[in-house]
């Protein structure tokens, strides 16, 4: 799977002196991180909320049908064309380099791993602990031996875990796989697993291109011109998975995490037929409280209702995405969950 087939859409440099960067975006400095971490004003989170796992999803979804099941945080099970794909899978209790400290789960996953159908592929957006969870990846490797799609620099750590089928891509590269074309697309973020490897590996989003419309997984990203570029390249987006959490304080988080209102604006710019919120309510990563992303998204939708639905799913909830219809008028509001 290491060979990239098809035309590369590479559009510009984002690598210099051994590190990746976000073209046109301000650089995150360590001094700003120290200022934030020493003056945190974190919103309210409940200690832990145990929820009953949902019923297992179907084993397969055939043809052009598309089903999305929200597991937690940025983890979705995507089912279409007889394929099962997971985005940034995390089932661990903590997202941290150590088991005794760091951001701790505040609600249980919506699906037990043993209730997952066989996973054919994993889409990884970057190497942060809440997206690249080694314990979960090892369990999935032992269980299903899936293909892994990852941005540049993550093939080696995946090989060390034991993965054999890895497709490592740069922004605007693509590969044909099992009836889909898998595109690596830009995100505005950063990477690090420790204090000395910042931006040594790339971060990205993913677009799965199919006859019945494209599926866009934004990964972790700030707001930027990337959404207009993606919309221009993929004019029939059937479903977008867009992050809404970890946006406070905005002076620090703004370049790397969208606010809920920015996510709603990105939904419009993309022309996405449907969008679903991600990256909220599971791990206290920034200063926004547990309910703030949903409350902020709700206010933004009341002030300016979108023509196309922007859904919020509960952990474990599955939703079958309708086919891409004719373009909707922006004057026609649609309901959301």
């Amino acid at each position: 799977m290491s060979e990239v087939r098809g035309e590369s859409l590479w559009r510009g440099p984002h690598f210099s002196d051994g590190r990746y960067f976000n073209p046109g975006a301000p650089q995150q400095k360590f001094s700003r991180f120290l200022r934030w971490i020493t003056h945190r004003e974190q919103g309210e989170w409940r200690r832990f909320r145990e929820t009953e796992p949902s019923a297992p999803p179907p084993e397969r979804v055939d043809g052009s049908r598309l089903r999305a099941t929200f597991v937690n945080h940025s983890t979705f099970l995507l089912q279409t064309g007889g394929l099962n794909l997971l985005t940034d899978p995390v089932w661990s209790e903590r997202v941290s380099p150590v088991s005794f400290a760091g951001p701790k789960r505040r609600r249980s996953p919506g699906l037990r791993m043993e209730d997952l159908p066989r996973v054919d592929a994993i889409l990884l957006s970057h190497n942060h602990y809440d997206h690249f969870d080694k314990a979960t990846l090892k369990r999935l490797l032992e269980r299903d031996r899936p293909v892994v799609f990852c941005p540049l620099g993550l093939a080696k750590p995946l090989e060390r875990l034991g993965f054999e089928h890895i497709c490592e891509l740069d922004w605007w590269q693509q590969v044909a796989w099992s009836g889909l074309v898998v595109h690596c697309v830009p995100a505005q973020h950063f990477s690090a697993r420790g204090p000395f490897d910042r931006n040594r590996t790339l971060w990205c989003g993913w677009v799965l291109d199919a006859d019945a419309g494209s599926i866009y997984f934004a990964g972790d990203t700030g707001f930027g011109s990337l959404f207009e570029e993606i919309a221009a390249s993929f004019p029939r987006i059937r479903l977008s998975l867009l992050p809404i959490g970890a946006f406070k304080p905005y002076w620090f988080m703004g370049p790397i995490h969208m606010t809920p209102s920015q996510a709603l604006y990105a939904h419009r710019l993309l022309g996405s037929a449907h969008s679903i919120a991600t990256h909220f309510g599971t791990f206290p990563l920034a200063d926004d409280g547990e309910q703030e992303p949903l409350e902020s998204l709700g206010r933004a939708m009341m002030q300016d209702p979108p023509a196309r639905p922007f859904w919020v799913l509960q952990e474990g909830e599955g939703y079958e995405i309708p086919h891409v219809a004719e373009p909707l008028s922006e004057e026609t509001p649609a309901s959301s969950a």
Side-chain angles (χ1 to χ4, degrees):
M1 284 299 301
S2 60
E3 180 183 358
V4 178
R5 306 205 315 272
E7 180 184 359
S8 172
L9 298 178
W10 188 78
R11 297 182 182 184
H14 43 269
F15 183 78
S16 177
D17 296 328
R19 299 182 191 270
Y20 296 93
F21 63 95
N22 296 299
Q27 182 179 355
Q28 289 287 81
K29 297 181 179 180
F30 187 67
S31 60
R32 291 169 65 84
F33 169 76
L34 286 178
R35 176 186 162 197
W36 167 59
I37 207 69
T38 55
H39 296 83
R40 292 194 66 175
E41 297 180 2
Q42 190 172 46
E44 182 179 353
W45 283 75
R46 287 169 286 191
R47 292 184 63 85
F48 184 78
R49 183 151 61 98
E50 184 73 49
T51 54
E52 287 295 322
S54 296
E59 287 297 315
R60 301 281 173 181
V61 170
D62 294 325
S64 61
R65 291 172 57 203
L66 170 61
R67 191 176 194 273
T69 302
F70 181 43
V71 178
N72 62 187
H73 196 53
S74 292
T75 307
F76 277 81
L77 172 65
L78 299 173
Q79 297 179 282
T80 189
L83 300 169
N84 295 326
L85 305 96
L86 275 179
T87 64
D88 287 350
V90 176
W91 264 264
S92 292
E93 182 182 14
R94 290 189 188 271
V95 285
S96 168
V98 295
S99 61
F100 55 86
K104 188 175 182 180
R105 176 181 295 280
R106 300 302 175 90
R107 64 178 71 180
S108 50
L111 287 175
R112 298 181 305 179
M113 187 175 289
E114 53 265 37
D115 290 336
L116 279 176
R118 181 180 177 85
V119 176
D120 301 300
I122 295 170
L123 301 172
L124 292 177
S125 64
H126 62 298
N127 74 349
H128 285 162
Y129 290 92
D130 58 317
H131 297 261
F132 188 100
D133 178 27
K134 288 185 177 181
T136 296
L137 290 170
K138 287 179 181 178
R139 291 175 64 188
L140 290 167
L141 171 65
E142 294 168 358
R143 211 188 74 136
D144 297 333
R145 307 197 71 80
V147 173
V148 182
F149 296 93
C150 66
L152 295 180
L154 290 188
K156 287 185 178 180
L158 287 166
E159 288 170 355
R160 287 195 290 268
L161 290 177
F163 284 92
E164 298 175 355
H165 305 292
I166 303 166
C167 184
E168 184 183 72
L169 299 178
D170 197 356
W171 291 351
W172 300 114
Q173 286 185 324
Q174 66 215 33
V175 63
W177 174 76
S178 297
L180 299 173
V181 181
V182 181
H183 299 259
C184 180
V185 297
Q188 187 172 293
H189 202 57
F190 73 106
S191 66
R193 297 284 285 186
F196 306 113
D197 66 341
R198 188 179 181 87
N199 296 346
R200 295 292 188 183
T201 64
L202 188 59
W203 48 94
C204 73
W206 295 99
V207 174
L208 307 175
D209 216 7
D211 291 340
S214 302
I215 305 164
Y216 170 46
F217 169 53
D220 225 351
T221 185
F223 185 82
S225 61
L226 62 101
F227 295 108
E228 292 172 293
E229 296 176 19
I230 291 168
S233 296
F234 306 99
R236 295 178 65 251
I237 298 179
R238 184 175 176 182
L239 172 66
S240 294
L241 305 176
L242 300 174
I244 65 168
F247 63 93
K248 281 188 171 182
Y250 186 73
W251 63 263
F252 178 66
M253 294 294 178
I256 55 173
H257 289 140
M258 288 194 288
T259 66
S261 59
Q262 287 174 330
L264 188 60
Y265 187 37
H267 164 68
R268 288 190 169 96
L269 287 177
L270 291 162
S272 186
H274 295 79
S275 291
I276 300 177
T278 75
H279 206 273
F280 67 94
T282 303
F283 300 105
L285 301 170
D287 286 354
D288 37 308
E290 181 180 355
Q291 296 299 318
E292 282 189 79
L294 298 181
E295 292 169 354
S296 179
L297 179 64
R299 288 192 297 270
M301 295 182 72
M302 288 184 66
Q303 292 169 4
D304 190 8
R308 301 170 181 85
F310 193 117
W311 299 99
V312 173
L313 302 184
Q314 298 299 313
E315 282 83 354
E317 184 178 0
Y319 179 62
E320 184 144 341
I321 313 301
H323 285 272
V324 176
E326 292 299 317
L328 297 174
S329 166
E330 280 294 333
E331 285 74 35
T332 307
S335 62
S336 301

